[in-house]
Every structure is written in structure tokens, then in C-alpha cells.
Amino acid sequence: MHRFFIVVQREYMERVSKKSFIISTLLMPLLMVALMVAPILIQKATTPETITIGVADTSGKIFPRLKSGESVKFVEMTDAPASSDRFCNDSIDGYLVITADILSKGASERIDLILNTTSNIQFESEVTSQINDAIETERLLEYNISNLPSILDNVRSDVSLNLIRTDKDDSDSMPTEFSAILGIIMSMLLYVFLLLYGIQVMQSIVEEKSNRVLEVIVSSIRPTQLLTGKIAGIGLVAITQILIWAVCLLILSVAVLPAIMSPDMLADVQAMQAGAQIADTADIELVGAIATVTNPAFIFQLFFWLIIFLVGGFLLYASLFAAVGSAVDNIQDASQLQTVIIMPIIVAMLSSMSVASAPDSGLVFWLSMIPFTSPMVMMARIPFGIPVWQTILSAILLYASIAGAVWCAAKIYRVGIFMYGKKPDIREIIRWISYK
């Protein structure tokens, strides 16, 4: 065990003492935020140009209700070409042909839109929505109801949902959108850590094998101890980063956020955490999100499960990466074999992004139980307040599979570190496991 801890200390200190570890620890949270904000900024920066549409309205009732906006500008036209004709007009990008019988209930509700430029989803959605609203309004007016506009204004409603779960305390529940965002963030963290540190295990073994260092090292320590020491040392680096972020988040949520919030917002947050009634004018979703992230118990619980599944997922995949690293003697061959290991991680990441639509569906449940996909999928489900027994069962299955993965990796490692000059195939690697 003394030699095992020497290996752990060496692998841990070699990485923690580097400047790259400090930089990545500081920049990775910023990178995660940037990945979330970037699509929004790109969408705003790539706003399509306004498309000018000439409307030929033979009914005379639809065009007056169309309003120009950022994506479309409506211009009244007296005539328009047929749908099969080409046209050339510098001031008009297209024609919208509205027939006289558009308000008839049995009339065809397909309207010809003739364009001489490319279209986009936002433009088509805006045009379709405005035409539908105009047709519905005109059809209502045909019933000759007095004061119809004021009646419609009075019956319009804007309802927001205040989610109350009977299986959880009010102080423990949080908005669904916030749960989805938090689940995706946790899944992305695990995705990055499993790939980043798992590949580090593989690269470390390949480098030592190519330098023939392992031939000297194994004369002083058993191959199994060397392998597990490498995995443990690199795993501690990942846990160190997570703990640093947990402490920073705890300080931010407990000390910084309450200090910068307005008194009214702070009162609503404290009321929600205590399970009391908040002000009717308060934004329930915003208050719920802040109440959740400023709850130390919630942060502890979240990072507790994050570490549990990070350690489990890392041990499982690090063993597989170690097996690949020991089976080859150069990075190029390792990159080809690692594809088989990376595929389940990618499947788990893609699956975790769809958890928000159905966190309790059968497919999502089983993906959160299968050890190869459970770390990321389960972390995406936890913010939705799933039953605790499911989380515990998933962790038990994950850690039970680690024993088999480490055993197989140790078998391959023991044989592979002495194999040079030949790239083994999958069948040969499987045969190494059966060697005594």
C-alpha cells in the first residue's frame, strides 16, 4: 500500500502543481457560462434582414390587419404575378397573394407566397401567425357582436403556473426550466471530466509504455497496484476541482447574492425558503431559482451526488481508457480504439439534453440505470426531484460495475504493457482477459 500511495501522490501532485490546473479551474466555469450564453448572442448577432412583402389582398380585409416587424415588412400591392411566374423588383422581395374567398370556412387555407430570395423560419412563422390572427378576427366580426374588440380584451388571460408538488416540501421544489438548465450544466460537467481525465489516464500509460519506463516500474510494484494508483491519483485531481467550485458557489450563494439583492427580492426568497406565501407581484420562477441556489442544503446535496457519480463514472471509464492505453504503444492507435469508449459518453450527453421533456419516461429511467450512461443522465434527472431510491439504485449499479471494469482493465494492462510493435484487435484484447 505504501507503493500504491506513492503512485497516487505522484500522479496527483504532477497535475495539481501545474499552472494549467489553476487556469482550467478558474476558466472552466467561465467557459460553461460562455457555452450557454454564446448561442443566445449568436442568435441575436445573426438576426435575418427584414424581408419586404407585397400583399395583393383581393378580399380587402387581411392587409389592414398585418403589421410590419423586424423580420417582415408588408406593402400593399394592386396586383401580383402567378405563382409560376418570375419577377424582378428591387424594392420588393416577394408577393403574398390573398384570394377573395379567404374568409370562407370551406375555402383553401393555403396562400401563395412568391419569393425571389431565401426564406427563414422566423419570417415564415411571423407571416403565418399574423395572417391567422387576421382571419380569425374577421371571422369573429362576421357574427356582428357588439363591442367585440373590448370583449376580446377582457377575456384574454395570461396565466402562470405555481408548481406545488405533494411529494416534496414547497421549499425543496424549484421551477422546471431552472431544473432543466441545472441538469444540463451538471451533465456537461461530467461529460467534460470523464473525457478530459479519462483520456489523461490513457495518455499517461501510452507515454510511459513508449518510453519503456513501465518495464522498470513494474519491477518494484505490481501492475494492478500501478494501474489503480494512476486512476486514483488522476481522479483526486478531478475531485479537487469540484470541491473548489463547490466552496466558491457556496460563498457566492450564501454571502454575495443576498448582499446584492433588493430588500423586496430578499424577503420573497426568504419567504419561499421558509415555505411561506410570497408577494403576488413577485416573479415566482426567478424567486424560486434564487431561493434554490442560495440554499446551502441544496448545494451540499447537489455536489454530494455530483461527486458520487463523478467518481463512479470516472473509475468506470478511466479503467476502459487505461485498457486501451495499455493495448497500444502510440497515441495514434489509441485514438482509433478510444472511439468505442467515447460513443456511450456521447449517447449519455445527448440523452441528458432530452431529460427535461420527460424525466420519468421509461427510456430515460433505464438510461439512468445503465452504468455506461447513468452518471450524466442521472445528474440531469436529480434537479427534477426524482425519488431518492432511484438515485441510490443507480449509484449502486454504477459502483458494482466498476469492480468488473477494473478487473478486466488490470488483466489487459498486465499483458499489454509488455506488448510492442503490434496493434491488437478487439478479439485479441478480449483474449488477454482470459489469461491467468
Side-chain angles (χ1 to χ4, degrees), residues 218-388:
V218 295
S219 63
S220 303
I221 186 173
R222 294 172 56 188
T224 303
Q225 287 181 322
L226 180 59
L227 174 63
T228 54
K230 281 182 171 295
I231 295 175
I234 297 176
L236 285 175
V237 178
I239 295 176
T240 301
Q241 277 191 326
I242 290 293
L243 292 177
I244 292 174
W245 293 340
V247 173
C248 293
L249 181 59
L250 187 62
I251 295 173
L252 177 66
S253 62
V254 175
V256 178
L257 278 180
I260 62 177
M261 283 191 295
S262 64
D264 293 339
M265 177 64 73
L266 182 60
D268 289 332
V269 169
Q270 292 174 346
M272 178 167 285
Q273 290 177 341
Q277 186 70 27
I278 66 174
D280 294 335
T281 57
D283 187 337
I284 296 177
E285 294 188 353
L286 178 60
V287 173
I290 296 177
T292 301
V293 299
T294 55
N295 185 357
F298 170 78
I299 296 176
F300 174 80
Q301 178 185 12
L302 183 67
F303 277 93
F304 171 79
W305 288 116
L306 179 61
I307 291 176
I308 291 294
F309 283 100
L310 171 63
V311 172
F314 171 77
L315 291 176
L316 176 64
Y317 278 101
S319 302
L320 301 179
F321 278 113
V324 170
S326 58
V328 298
D329 49 14
N330 60 75
I331 295 295
Q332 289 75 19
D333 292 340
S335 300
Q336 296 176 1
L337 288 177
Q338 74 180 11
T339 305
V340 181
I341 305 173
I342 293 177
M343 285 305 298
I345 302 178
I346 296 176
V347 170
M349 184 62 204
L350 295 176
S351 301
S352 64
M353 291 184 176
S354 61
V355 166
S357 59
D360 292 325
S361 66
L363 178 60
V364 171
F365 171 81
W366 287 112
L367 287 174
S368 64
M369 295 298 159
I370 299 174
F372 292 103
T373 57
S374 63
M376 280 172 283
V377 178
M378 183 54 73
M379 285 309 304
R381 295 184 66 204
I382 287 176
F384 288 92
I386 61 173
V388 179

Side-chain angles (χ1 to χ4, degrees), residues 202 205-206 209 214 218 222-228 231 316-329 337 340-341 403-420 422-436:
M202 180 186 69
I205 293 174
V206 172
K209 183 179 177 181
L214 287 176
V218 295
R222 294 172 56 188
T224 303
Q225 287 181 322
L226 180 59
L227 174 63
T228 54
I231 295 175
L316 176 64
Y317 278 101
S319 302
L320 301 179
F321 278 113
V324 170
S326 58
V328 298
D329 49 14
L337 288 177
V340 181
I341 305 173
V406 172
W407 181 81
C408 292
K411 287 279 190 176
I412 297 172
Y413 182 80
R414 186 186 60 176
V415 178
I417 57 177
F418 298 110
M419 301 290 290
Y420 295 97
K422 179 183 178 182
K423 179 183 176 182
D425 54 20
I426 299 296
R427 288 180 297 178
E428 185 175 357
I429 293 175
I430 295 175
R431 190 164 58 248
W432 292 352
I433 300 175
S434 61
Y435 290 168
K436 294 184 180 180

Side-chain angles (χ1 to χ4, degrees), residues 81-296:
S83 59
S84 58
D85 295 340
R86 298 177 62 87
F87 66 92
C88 181
N89 193 319
D90 294 336
S91 60
I92 301 296
D93 297 315
Y95 287 98
L96 190 64
V97 182
I98 300 177
T99 58
D101 63 344
I102 189 64
L103 298 180
S104 302
K105 192 170 182 180
S108 174
E109 296 189 1
R110 295 183 66 88
I111 298 176
D112 291 335
L113 175 61
I114 309 167
L115 284 179
N116 63 0
T117 184
T118 57
S119 182
N120 61 77
I121 295 176
Q122 182 180 353
F123 160 73
E124 293 182 9
S125 176
E126 178 68 19
V127 172
T128 304
S129 176
Q130 289 207 41
I131 292 176
N132 283 328
D133 291 342
I135 293 174
E136 291 171 2
T137 302
E138 288 296 330
R139 286 178 178 176
L140 283 172
L141 290 173
E142 290 179 354
Y143 287 93
N144 295 321
I145 301 175
S146 59
N147 299 324
L148 180 60
S150 61
I151 293 175
L152 292 177
D153 290 337
N154 290 332
V155 299
R156 286 191 178 95
S157 174
D158 185 15
V159 175
S160 61
L161 295 178
N162 181 21
L163 180 61
I164 300 175
R165 292 183 52 173
T166 57
D167 58 340
K168 295 174 69 65
D169 295 334
D170 291 344
S171 59
D172 293 336
S173 61
M174 54 181 159
T176 303
E177 292 183 358
F178 179 73
S179 300
I181 294 174
L182 187 59
I184 292 176
I185 292 175
M186 295 296 102
S187 299
M188 289 181 65
L189 274 177
L190 282 174
Y191 174 79
V192 172
F193 273 85
L194 292 183
L195 283 180
L196 178 63
Y197 289 102
I199 292 177
Q200 283 190 23
V201 173
M202 180 186 69
Q203 291 177 342
S204 176
I205 293 174
V206 172
E207 290 174 0
E208 292 179 352
K209 183 179 177 181
S210 60
N211 295 333
R212 303 297 179 95
V213 176
L214 287 176
E215 295 180 1
V216 179
I217 297 177
V218 295
S219 63
S220 303
I221 186 173
R222 294 172 56 188
T224 303
Q225 287 181 322
L226 180 59
L227 174 63
T228 54
K230 281 182 171 295
I231 295 175
I234 297 176
L236 285 175
V237 178
I239 295 176
T240 301
Q241 277 191 326
I242 290 293
L243 292 177
I244 292 174
W245 293 340
V247 173
C248 293
L249 181 59
L250 187 62
I251 295 173
L252 177 66
S253 62
V254 175
V256 178
L257 278 180
I260 62 177
M261 283 191 295
S262 64
D264 293 339
M265 177 64 73
L266 182 60
D268 289 332
V269 169
Q270 292 174 346
M272 178 167 285
Q273 290 177 341
Q277 186 70 27
I278 66 174
D280 294 335
T281 57
D283 187 337
I284 296 177
E285 294 188 353
L286 178 60
V287 173
I290 296 177
T292 301
V293 299
T294 55
N295 185 357

